[in-house]
Amino acid sequence: MTIYRCAHAWIDGQVVDEVDVIVADGRITAIQPARLVGDIVRLDGLVLPGFANAHSHAFHRALRGRTHADGGTFWTWRQAMYALAAALEPQSYLELARATYAEMALAGITCVGEFHYLHHRGDGTPYDDPNAMGEVLRQAAREAGIRLTLLDTCYLAGGLGADGVLPIAPEQVRFSDGSVQAWVERVSAIAADEGMRVGAAIHSVRAVPREAMTTIAEWATGRPLHAHLSEQVAENQACRQAYGLSPTEVMAEAGVLGPESTMVHATHLSSSDILLLGEARAVACFCPTTERDLADGIGPARALLDAGCSLSLGSDQHAVIDLIEEARALEMHERLASGERGRFTPGELISALTGVGHRSLGWSDAGSIAVGQRADLVCITLDSVRTAGANPDQALLAASAADVQQVICDGRQIVRDGRHVLGDVATGLRDAIEATWSRARA
Ligand SMILES: [Zn+2]
């Protein structure tokens, strides 16, 4: 049994001062005023539940700081992403993903949803284990000390033309299983474990024919089901041309929308799209630092919440891995778009960071500091140059990932005094990224 003595902890939607969180076997067993004696670990700051990063493509981390030259557009970014994807093999993917997940742990992330489509060899043939690349992600998360939901992504088509989906392009061939039946067969062989759940993802209306979406949704019954939705205006236009429907309407007709489904980005929506998503009680996963990096636009987060959706957050392409910044950006982008402050309460932002994110990844027993929950605790210092003087209940509007000092995941401390148990994560990232790009150039 370990006693975590929290100076301030986020419990039941408010900050509670001087409280002991008692942990045994990875679970919270009691919460009471600070007066116990015994094996005490002091968490001197604001203690939040573990953060869930509900949308990640781990390998995109290697694109950070490399896509801004020559006025880089979304499409030049995408060419760089394809070149990178082509250079990855299981061993190099492991090194990159492990370092990326360790960076996430340093930012307070205790669970990641990996939207995984890098399935096969560069020529599209399967590895000896057809799930070798997914297994690499399992190992990477385990070594970084965080939980994983593998959102195995169906990716079958090369875009949308006027008459429906286009054939897969050569640079996308390693993403594809060839048919939805082959995808079902492959993902059905992946076993969950104590640290990993398996869910499904539909890449987008661009990459999955609508008949296949129904098969994927059926397979995913009782599991998380994620999809990219209306990230770009061009996607909506192509979808209307092909089907006479918006991407949301296509997903609704195919049976994709429901409380276990998470629509990622949800940027360019009509008011009837928002109603459909709200009626389905779907989760909308916003990735504000990616959406601004790629010039996607600002999605209707407040309107979705008011319509009945829940909101979660993801760092997606990892231009930034700082979920505190994602949460703050949810509010700040709304302020810019609406001309109003206070669009979300701090409690709503924390809920997106923690409880909703975990639920959208299939971990309903994580994401709050409560008895019986997984012992995931994130301590943010209130003594840094950024946070000094802030009220604890508003520190989220001042802090950054650099203020995350202690992280406990499933009762195990994976970040201590701002250092990850694996050691020097920056060197791990640099080595993995440089090695990958040198293979991409070769
Ligand atoms: Zn994405």
PDB file of all heavy atoms in Angstrom, residues 55-57 60 77 115 117 203 228 231 264-265 287 290 315-317, ligand 1:
ATOM      1  N   HIS A  55      -6.116  10.297 -29.517  1.00  0.00           N
ATOM      2  CA  HIS A  55      -5.826  10.162 -30.950  1.00  0.00           C
ATOM      3  C   HIS A  55      -4.343  10.383 -31.216  1.00  0.00           C
ATOM      4  O   HIS A  55      -3.836  11.495 -31.084  1.00  0.00           O
ATOM      5  CB  HIS A  55      -6.668  11.147 -31.762  1.00  0.00           C
ATOM      6  CG  HIS A  55      -6.587  10.905 -33.238  1.00  0.00           C
ATOM      7  ND1 HIS A  55      -7.090   9.768 -33.832  1.00  0.00           N
ATOM      8  CD2 HIS A  55      -6.039  11.629 -34.248  1.00  0.00           C
ATOM      9  CE1 HIS A  55      -6.873   9.812 -35.133  1.00  0.00           C
ATOM     10  NE2 HIS A  55      -6.233  10.921 -35.419  1.00  0.00           N
ATOM     11  N   SER A  56      -3.680   9.294 -31.612  1.00  0.00           N
ATOM     12  CA  SER A  56      -2.234   9.364 -31.875  1.00  0.00           C
ATOM     13  C   SER A  56      -1.887   8.582 -33.125  1.00  0.00           C
ATOM     14  O   SER A  56      -2.453   7.513 -33.386  1.00  0.00           O
ATOM     15  CB  SER A  56      -1.480   8.741 -30.687  1.00  0.00           C
ATOM     16  OG  SER A  56      -0.162   8.367 -31.061  1.00  0.00           O
ATOM     17  N   HIS A  57      -0.946   9.123 -33.913  1.00  0.00           N
ATOM     18  CA  HIS A  57      -0.228   8.340 -34.916  1.00  0.00           C
ATOM     19  C   HIS A  57       1.228   8.457 -34.486  1.00  0.00           C
ATOM     20  O   HIS A  57       1.887   9.473 -34.766  1.00  0.00           O
ATOM     21  CB  HIS A  57      -0.392   8.899 -36.322  1.00  0.00           C
ATOM     22  CG  HIS A  57      -1.821   9.133 -36.729  1.00  0.00           C
ATOM     23  ND1 HIS A  57      -2.657   8.123 -37.130  1.00  0.00           N
ATOM     24  CD2 HIS A  57      -2.561  10.264 -36.790  1.00  0.00           C
ATOM     25  CE1 HIS A  57      -3.852   8.626 -37.427  1.00  0.00           C
ATOM     26  NE2 HIS A  57      -3.812   9.918 -37.221  1.00  0.00           N
ATOM     27  N   HIS A  60       4.159   9.841 -36.646  1.00  0.00           N
ATOM     28  CA  HIS A  60       4.161  11.243 -37.090  1.00  0.00           C
ATOM     29  C   HIS A  60       5.077  12.121 -36.227  1.00  0.00           C
ATOM     30  O   HIS A  60       5.420  13.237 -36.633  1.00  0.00           O
ATOM     31  CB  HIS A  60       2.749  11.829 -37.046  1.00  0.00           C
ATOM     32  CG  HIS A  60       1.824  11.272 -38.081  1.00  0.00           C
ATOM     33  ND1 HIS A  60       0.603  11.838 -38.360  1.00  0.00           N
ATOM     34  CD2 HIS A  60       1.929  10.199 -38.901  1.00  0.00           C
ATOM     35  CE1 HIS A  60      -0.015  11.129 -39.303  1.00  0.00           C
ATOM     36  NE2 HIS A  60       0.783  10.133 -39.638  1.00  0.00           N
ATOM     37  N   TRP A  77       2.923  18.281 -46.502  1.00  0.00           N
ATOM     38  CA  TRP A  77       3.034  17.562 -45.224  1.00  0.00           C
ATOM     39  C   TRP A  77       2.734  16.085 -45.457  1.00  0.00           C
ATOM     40  O   TRP A  77       3.444  15.203 -44.980  1.00  0.00           O
ATOM     41  CB  TRP A  77       2.047  18.162 -44.198  1.00  0.00           C
ATOM     42  CG  TRP A  77       1.990  17.381 -42.917  1.00  0.00           C
ATOM     43  CD1 TRP A  77       2.783  17.558 -41.819  1.00  0.00           C
ATOM     44  CD2 TRP A  77       1.132  16.266 -42.622  1.00  0.00           C
ATOM     45  NE1 TRP A  77       2.467  16.623 -40.860  1.00  0.00           N
ATOM     46  CE2 TRP A  77       1.459  15.812 -41.328  1.00  0.00           C
ATOM     47  CE3 TRP A  77       0.121  15.596 -43.320  1.00  0.00           C
ATOM     48  CZ2 TRP A  77       0.810  14.740 -40.720  1.00  0.00           C
ATOM     49  CZ3 TRP A  77      -0.520  14.522 -42.715  1.00  0.00           C
ATOM     50  CH2 TRP A  77      -0.176  14.109 -41.425  1.00  0.00           C
ATOM     51  N   PHE A 115      -4.167   5.190 -33.462  1.00  0.00           N
ATOM     52  CA  PHE A 115      -4.937   5.032 -34.706  1.00  0.00           C
ATOM     53  C   PHE A 115      -3.956   4.446 -35.717  1.00  0.00           C
ATOM     54  O   PHE A 115      -3.250   5.160 -36.416  1.00  0.00           O
ATOM     55  CB  PHE A 115      -5.430   6.416 -35.101  1.00  0.00           C
ATOM     56  CG  PHE A 115      -6.600   6.478 -36.035  1.00  0.00           C
ATOM     57  CD1 PHE A 115      -7.877   6.752 -35.563  1.00  0.00           C
ATOM     58  CD2 PHE A 115      -6.431   6.331 -37.405  1.00  0.00           C
ATOM     59  CE1 PHE A 115      -8.955   6.882 -36.429  1.00  0.00           C
ATOM     60  CE2 PHE A 115      -7.511   6.448 -38.278  1.00  0.00           C
ATOM     61  CZ  PHE A 115      -8.776   6.721 -37.790  1.00  0.00           C
ATOM     62  N   TYR A 117      -2.440   2.385 -38.732  1.00  0.00           N
ATOM     63  CA  TYR A 117      -2.691   1.903 -40.102  1.00  0.00           C
ATOM     64  C   TYR A 117      -1.420   1.473 -40.837  1.00  0.00           C
ATOM     65  O   TYR A 117      -1.460   1.133 -42.009  1.00  0.00           O
ATOM     66  CB  TYR A 117      -3.467   2.944 -40.920  1.00  0.00           C
ATOM     67  CG  TYR A 117      -2.836   4.321 -41.025  1.00  0.00           C
ATOM     68  CD1 TYR A 117      -1.882   4.605 -41.986  1.00  0.00           C
ATOM     69  CD2 TYR A 117      -3.226   5.339 -40.161  1.00  0.00           C
ATOM     70  CE1 TYR A 117      -1.323   5.875 -42.086  1.00  0.00           C
ATOM     71  CE2 TYR A 117      -2.668   6.604 -40.250  1.00  0.00           C
ATOM     72  CZ  TYR A 117      -1.722   6.868 -41.215  1.00  0.00           C
ATOM     73  OH  TYR A 117      -1.162   8.120 -41.302  1.00  0.00           O
ATOM     74  N   HIS A 203     -10.536   4.632 -41.319  1.00  0.00           N
ATOM     75  CA  HIS A 203      -9.627   5.768 -41.522  1.00  0.00           C
ATOM     76  C   HIS A 203     -10.402   7.043 -41.791  1.00  0.00           C
ATOM     77  O   HIS A 203     -10.178   8.057 -41.141  1.00  0.00           O
ATOM     78  CB  HIS A 203      -8.598   5.508 -42.633  1.00  0.00           C
ATOM     79  CG  HIS A 203      -7.664   6.669 -42.777  1.00  0.00           C
ATOM     80  ND1 HIS A 203      -7.974   7.785 -43.535  1.00  0.00           N
ATOM     81  CD2 HIS A 203      -6.476   6.929 -42.208  1.00  0.00           C
ATOM     82  CE1 HIS A 203      -7.000   8.678 -43.414  1.00  0.00           C
ATOM     83  NE2 HIS A 203      -6.079   8.175 -42.620  1.00  0.00           N
ATOM     84  N   HIS A 228     -11.668   9.320 -38.534  1.00  0.00           N
ATOM     85  CA  HIS A 228     -11.449  10.721 -38.899  1.00  0.00           C
ATOM     86  C   HIS A 228     -12.722  11.236 -39.569  1.00  0.00           C
ATOM     87  O   HIS A 228     -13.266  10.562 -40.447  1.00  0.00           O
ATOM     88  CB  HIS A 228     -10.312  10.841 -39.922  1.00  0.00           C
ATOM     89  CG  HIS A 228      -8.941  10.557 -39.393  1.00  0.00           C
ATOM     90  ND1 HIS A 228      -8.076   9.684 -39.996  1.00  0.00           N
ATOM     91  CD2 HIS A 228      -8.267  11.065 -38.333  1.00  0.00           C
ATOM     92  CE1 HIS A 228      -6.925   9.657 -39.345  1.00  0.00           C
ATOM     93  NE2 HIS A 228      -7.012  10.483 -38.320  1.00  0.00           N
ATOM     94  N   GLU A 231     -12.249  16.524 -41.564  1.00  0.00           N
ATOM     95  CA  GLU A 231     -11.086  17.321 -41.160  1.00  0.00           C
ATOM     96  C   GLU A 231     -10.871  18.480 -42.130  1.00  0.00           C
ATOM     97  O   GLU A 231     -10.422  19.551 -41.735  1.00  0.00           O
ATOM     98  CB  GLU A 231      -9.845  16.421 -41.108  1.00  0.00           C
ATOM     99  CG  GLU A 231      -8.563  17.157 -40.709  1.00  0.00           C
ATOM    100  CD  GLU A 231      -7.355  16.248 -40.586  1.00  0.00           C
ATOM    101  OE1 GLU A 231      -7.464  15.050 -40.917  1.00  0.00           O
ATOM    102  OE2 GLU A 231      -6.293  16.741 -40.163  1.00  0.00           O
ATOM    103  N   VAL A 264     -13.052  11.859 -34.921  1.00  0.00           N
ATOM    104  CA  VAL A 264     -11.841  12.641 -34.704  1.00  0.00           C
ATOM    105  C   VAL A 264     -11.836  13.863 -35.620  1.00  0.00           C
ATOM    106  O   VAL A 264     -12.101  13.731 -36.826  1.00  0.00           O
ATOM    107  CB  VAL A 264     -10.598  11.775 -34.967  1.00  0.00           C
ATOM    108  CG1 VAL A 264      -9.332  12.573 -34.722  1.00  0.00           C
ATOM    109  CG2 VAL A 264     -10.629  10.529 -34.098  1.00  0.00           C
ATOM    110  N   HIS A 265     -11.535  15.003 -35.073  1.00  0.00           N
ATOM    111  CA  HIS A 265     -11.513  16.330 -35.700  1.00  0.00           C
ATOM    112  C   HIS A 265     -12.914  16.956 -35.711  1.00  0.00           C
ATOM    113  O   HIS A 265     -13.137  17.946 -35.049  1.00  0.00           O
ATOM    114  CB  HIS A 265     -10.913  16.336 -37.115  1.00  0.00           C
ATOM    115  CG  HIS A 265      -9.507  15.838 -37.149  1.00  0.00           C
ATOM    116  ND1 HIS A 265      -8.494  16.437 -36.417  1.00  0.00           N
ATOM    117  CD2 HIS A 265      -8.930  14.790 -37.804  1.00  0.00           C
ATOM    118  CE1 HIS A 265      -7.359  15.779 -36.636  1.00  0.00           C
ATOM    119  NE2 HIS A 265      -7.588  14.778 -37.460  1.00  0.00           N
ATOM    120  N   CYS A 287      -8.257  17.749 -31.782  1.00  0.00           N
ATOM    121  CA  CYS A 287      -6.792  17.716 -31.754  1.00  0.00           C
ATOM    122  C   CYS A 287      -6.313  19.127 -32.112  1.00  0.00           C
ATOM    123  O   CYS A 287      -5.768  19.345 -33.207  1.00  0.00           O
ATOM    124  CB  CYS A 287      -6.262  16.687 -32.749  1.00  0.00           C
ATOM    125  SG  CYS A 287      -7.006  15.043 -32.564  1.00  0.00           S
ATOM    126  N   THR A 290      -2.874  20.020 -33.753  1.00  0.00           N
ATOM    127  CA  THR A 290      -2.751  19.499 -35.116  1.00  0.00           C
ATOM    128  C   THR A 290      -3.625  20.300 -36.073  1.00  0.00           C
ATOM    129  O   THR A 290      -3.207  20.658 -37.177  1.00  0.00           O
ATOM    130  CB  THR A 290      -3.169  18.014 -35.158  1.00  0.00           C
ATOM    131  OG1 THR A 290      -2.182  17.249 -34.474  1.00  0.00           O
ATOM    132  CG2 THR A 290      -3.304  17.507 -36.579  1.00  0.00           C
ATOM    133  N   SER A 315      -3.320  14.282 -29.449  1.00  0.00           N
ATOM    134  CA  SER A 315      -2.206  15.060 -30.003  1.00  0.00           C
ATOM    135  C   SER A 315      -1.915  14.654 -31.444  1.00  0.00           C
ATOM    136  O   SER A 315      -1.048  15.245 -32.087  1.00  0.00           O
ATOM    137  CB  SER A 315      -0.953  14.961 -29.128  1.00  0.00           C
ATOM    138  OG  SER A 315      -0.471  13.648 -29.065  1.00  0.00           O
ATOM    139  N   ASP A 316      -2.624  13.647 -31.966  1.00  0.00           N
ATOM    140  CA  ASP A 316      -2.664  13.310 -33.384  1.00  0.00           C
ATOM    141  C   ASP A 316      -1.284  13.211 -34.035  1.00  0.00           C
ATOM    142  O   ASP A 316      -0.595  12.228 -33.896  1.00  0.00           O
ATOM    143  CB  ASP A 316      -3.572  14.325 -34.107  1.00  0.00           C
ATOM    144  CG  ASP A 316      -3.922  13.910 -35.534  1.00  0.00           C
ATOM    145  OD1 ASP A 316      -3.501  12.829 -35.957  1.00  0.00           O
ATOM    146  OD2 ASP A 316      -4.610  14.678 -36.236  1.00  0.00           O
ATOM    147  N   GLN A 317      -0.835  14.236 -34.733  1.00  0.00           N
ATOM    148  CA  GLN A 317       0.445  14.144 -35.460  1.00  0.00           C
ATOM    149  C   GLN A 317       1.618  14.600 -34.585  1.00  0.00           C
ATOM    150  O   GLN A 317       2.754  14.616 -35.046  1.00  0.00           O
ATOM    151  CB  GLN A 317       0.384  14.979 -36.743  1.00  0.00           C
ATOM    152  CG  GLN A 317       0.102  16.447 -36.469  1.00  0.00           C
ATOM    153  CD  GLN A 317       0.846  17.396 -37.379  1.00  0.00           C
ATOM    154  OE1 GLN A 317       1.904  17.072 -37.885  1.00  0.00           O
ATOM    155  NE2 GLN A 317       0.312  18.572 -37.578  1.00  0.00           N
TER     156      GLN A 317
HETATM  157 ZN    ZN B   1      -5.297  11.427 -37.236  1.00  0.00          ZN
END
